[in-house]
Amino acid sequence: MARAPRPRSPWRRRLSLALKLLVVAALLALAALITAVYVTRAQLPSFEQLKSSPNGQMIRVHAADGTVIVSMGPSYGDWLSYDRIPKVMRDATIAVEDRRFNSHIGVDPIGVARSVQVRLSRGRWVQGGSTITQQLARNVFLNNQKKFGRKFREWILALAMERKFSKDEILELYLNKVYYGGGAYGIDAASRKFFGHGADHLSLPEAAIIAGLVKAPSNYSPTADAAAAVGRASVVLQAMQDNGMISAGEATAADPKSVALAPEPKQNSVRYFTDWALPQLELLIDETEKPLEVWTTLDLNMQRDADAAVRANAPNGAQGALVALDRDGAVRAMVGGKDYVSSIYNRATQAERQPGSAFKLFVYLAALEAGKTPESTEIDEPVTIDGWSPRNDSRRNSGQVTLRTAFAYSLNTIAAKLGQQVGFATVADMARRFGITTTVNTHPSMVLGTSDVRLIDMTRAFASVANQGVAVTPYGILKVTANNEVIYQHQVDRSRVLVAPQVAAQMIDLLQTAVNTGTGRAAQIGRPVAGKTGTTSSSKDGWFLGFSSGLTTGVWMGRDDAKPIAGLHGGTAPARAWHDFMIKAVANRPIEQFETQVTLPEAQLEPDAESYYGGPDNGLFVDPDGNPVTGGIPGAGAGDRQPPRSEHLEIDDDGNPIIPSPQPERLDQDWIDRVTGRDARRDQRRPVNPAPGNRQPPPNYSTEPRPNQ
């Protein structure tokens, strides 16, 4: 009799049910995975779309001649199709990043298992087991967060990409889009950055260096750590040999140490200009994704000459700045300091310093607009305004003089009188009208330049005078293109008239005298020049601003900590730097005569002190904050309340003026004639603008001793 089958135990029934449920769950998961992969595949961009999509916005900045001077943001280089990518580059990448690339389905189970094993043994994720396809998916669609949710999406994308694209297409996308450090995306950008040539003819050791960068671009960059880059390249070569891609002899012969690296571009003074110009893009355009080509006004030859002029003439321990504006406001050169690498502070656009007598431009503009002319006369005599008593640097008064003479010799008493007549607020308004953006005080001493200004603003003001009183606005960006489409084009605004043309012409008349016979003679360049010097108390700042042949240039020199600099005056180092720059900058421009020919001032007056021994021209009775010192000199008798005969008023630790030793009442006229090279009887007959070959150089102030000293 047959025995009945034994009933299965409950635990076996439960196990069988669990296995069935597990199989069903696995099948459902597989179905869900397949569905997700194919849904994702349908949503993926096409190959051509992926080729054109950027990794970030790139900005290339061009000089006026089209030369690329700065590249910012990511750099892409040329797109290399699969057949243009050297085989050694493809092999090196596969060997070190994904040796089973040609056999897996987008996710490498062996690599994942090895990654999990290392995770369990070390207690942390050391290697992710990511395939080239996964890395491409992460770089294009995801981020680098180490979270399982991101990793799962990465797997789905990688599987979908393998269903949509061929292995060759995936490798082409990867090699053209992966980040290699230094802002370089793709092998061509990396090759050009590190080796100075395109990636279509990479050598074996060069390919090994680039392939080794992907793991940690900042650690293995050859420009940052050459030894680390060589060591990593050796690992790549060994991996290629292990995978049979190269022989042992080829691996030995490929010496990464022998690879010549492209020199890193120097951070020269061009960066002062780009640091000023590029932030303006936010106000000019809205494009934030497409690569931009920015075309600027910068003239590289002028920039080089400006840099050399500042470095050659700035006194030891001093900084210098220069701005050159074309007649329409185009910035042709900008130097913000002697060395951009050591200091990125742009003294041409950011520093605020006292301009000294250069500020008299606005005093005389206000006076001319009020009806004065260069031939108008004023009495050069002692003057006191609200307790402030300015004195001329020549230590004397000359009686009745024309405004032309007063401006040429920088007579402080006349500037004070003119300011009082037109109103100090009117002078401040004139300064703001001409583009001074800093605060201008209305103390009487403001006529001598005690308000802080910026060099670019002062240069703009002089350029507007040169432009017949029409406002000149500095600009650095000519146009911006995105994918060869012009999205911004600068338009010059010539509609803002600041002063009447005849006022500007009269001001130019005055400015010419300062260069021909006054404090700015060192700026003569053999063609018509109009300009003005400026020197502040204790020789803390020196300025020269002027124009010729349609180009206006401003130069400032001084210390960043505003300490005095012996021998620094507007008519010396700044004027010489202006001369050295301008004589080259305008060499190929036609000589332009001003509408008003220069008329020399009265010859019987001696120049202001700065003209021959460098006295400052604004420091009398002004405290360190630029406020007038009232009430005379503390401790002096009633008859001694006139300012001392000194080049400036030094202040002691208690804030009181330091009274220097008396100076002679009058300088010997024969000595003045010898030092300045001026004979009063011949002054009116000398050529106004002699040819360069016939022009005598500015006098050397140190060759003859001063009398009565």
Side-chain angles (χ1 to χ4, degrees), residues 293-626:
E293 302 286 340
V294 180
W295 305 85
T296 72
T297 60
L298 192 73
D299 185 305
L300 289 179
N301 290 328
M302 289 192 191
Q303 182 69 21
R304 182 187 63 249
D305 294 337
D307 201 22
V310 169
R311 292 190 183 193
N313 290 282
N316 292 334
Q319 278 288 352
L322 182 151
V323 175
L325 303 179
D326 222 324
R327 63 179 82 246
D328 65 346
V331 176
R332 298 303 182 192
M334 177 181 287
V335 177
K338 292 197 294 187
D339 182 21
Y340 182 86
V341 174
S342 62
S343 174
I344 64 173
Y345 180 57
N346 192 337
R347 296 155 188 85
T349 61
Q350 295 175 282
E352 299 179 5
R353 305 294 290 253
Q354 290 186 358
S357 279
F359 192 84
K360 290 177 182 176
L361 174 80
F362 308 115
V363 179
Y364 279 78
L365 279 170
L368 293 172
E369 189 174 60
K372 300 283 187 180
T373 71
E375 304 301 333
S376 298
T377 59
E378 293 289 339
I379 304 298
D380 176 18
E381 59 186 351
V383 60
T384 299
I385 305 172
D386 295 339
W388 174 64
S389 301
R391 289 285 296 274
N392 298 324
D393 291 321
S394 62
R395 321 299 190 268
R396 69 182 180 90
N397 300 111
S398 303
Q400 183 170 287
V401 295
T402 64
L403 295 195
R404 178 181 293 106
T405 299
F407 188 83
Y409 299 131
S410 203
L411 300 181
N412 292 333
T413 56
I414 302 302
K417 280 190 169 186
L418 294 177
Q420 186 179 40
Q421 290 172 19
V422 301
F424 301 110
T426 301
V427 175
D429 288 341
M430 182 65 72
R432 286 189 285 267
R433 189 193 308 178
F434 271 77
I436 300 302
T437 57
T438 49
T439 301
V440 180
N441 70 61
T442 54
H443 301 301
S445 61
M446 61 91 74
V447 299
L448 304 185
T450 57
S451 297
D452 290 339
V453 296
R454 299 186 181 96
L455 175 60
I456 193 170
D457 291 347
M458 289 294 292
T459 308
R460 171 187 186 179
F462 276 75
S464 298
V465 172
N467 199 34
Q468 299 180 325
V470 178
V472 170
T473 302
Y475 72 97
I477 298 176
L478 280 170
K479 67 176 181 178
V480 181
T481 62
N483 294 337
N484 296 320
E485 177 186 356
V486 177
I487 60 175
Y488 169 78
Q489 182 77 53
H490 179 77
Q491 300 293 328
V492 177
D493 181 8
R494 295 183 173 88
S495 63
R496 294 178 56 238
V497 178
L498 304 179
V499 292
Q502 64 268 24
V503 172
Q506 290 173 335
M507 192 69 240
I508 293 173
D509 180 358
L510 299 181
L511 290 168
Q512 290 180 82
T513 64
V515 177
N516 280 276
T517 65
T519 60
R521 289 195 307 277
Q524 294 174 4
I525 57 174
R527 60 173 68 200
V529 171
K532 186 71 180 75
T533 59
T535 309
T536 60
S537 299
S538 304
S539 298
K540 296 174 182 177
D541 303 89
W543 300 70
F544 188 84
L545 303 108
F547 45 86
S548 179
S549 301
L551 190 67
T552 303
T553 298
V555 177
W556 166 88
M557 290 180 182
R559 286 176 60 102
D560 288 336
D561 58 9
K563 291 183 178 179
I565 301 172
L568 175 63
H569 313 292
T572 55
R576 290 194 295 267
W578 191 95
H579 166 275
D580 292 352
F581 168 73
M582 286 290 286
I583 201 168
K584 296 179 180 179
V586 301
N588 296 323
R589 295 186 175 210
I591 295 176
E592 297 181 12
Q593 300 292 335
F594 296 121
E595 290 187 12
T596 53
Q597 295 298 313
V598 64
T599 302
L600 301 183
E602 294 137 2
Q604 72 271 17
L605 284 187
E606 59 189 63
D608 70 338
E610 185 190 356
S611 176
Y612 42 77
Y613 63 88
D617 49 18
N618 80 326
L620 299 176
F621 282 85
V622 181
D623 67 19
D625 297 323

Side-chain angles (χ1 to χ4, degrees), residues 640-675:
D640 299 324
R641 292 187 179 272
Q642 295 299 323
R645 292 183 176 88
S646 63
E647 297 172 19
H648 54 273
L649 193 65
E650 294 286 350
I651 306 298
D652 63 20
D653 294 338
D654 298 324
N656 300 317
I658 300 173
I659 305 175
S661 59
Q663 299 293 324
E665 177 64 26
R666 181 180 174 85
L667 297 177
D668 180 73
Q669 187 64 43
D670 292 337
W671 176 82
I672 294 174
D673 291 340
R674 289 197 303 273
V675 173

Side-chain angles (χ1 to χ4, degrees), residues 47 51 76-87 89-90 168-177 185-192 197-202 210:
F47 181 75
K51 283 178 60 176
Y76 300 112
D78 293 334
W79 186 278
L80 299 183
S81 60
Y82 182 85
D83 57 356
R84 290 184 59 201
I85 300 173
K87 186 175 184 301
M89 186 70 245
R90 302 196 303 262
D168 291 354
E169 288 176 327
I170 290 173
L171 189 59
E172 178 183 332
L173 288 169
Y174 178 85
L175 290 173
N176 280 283
K177 296 182 78 68
Y185 285 84
I187 56 172
D188 191 66
S191 180
R192 294 179 188 277
H197 62 76
D200 53 352
H201 54 281
L202 284 168
I210 291 181

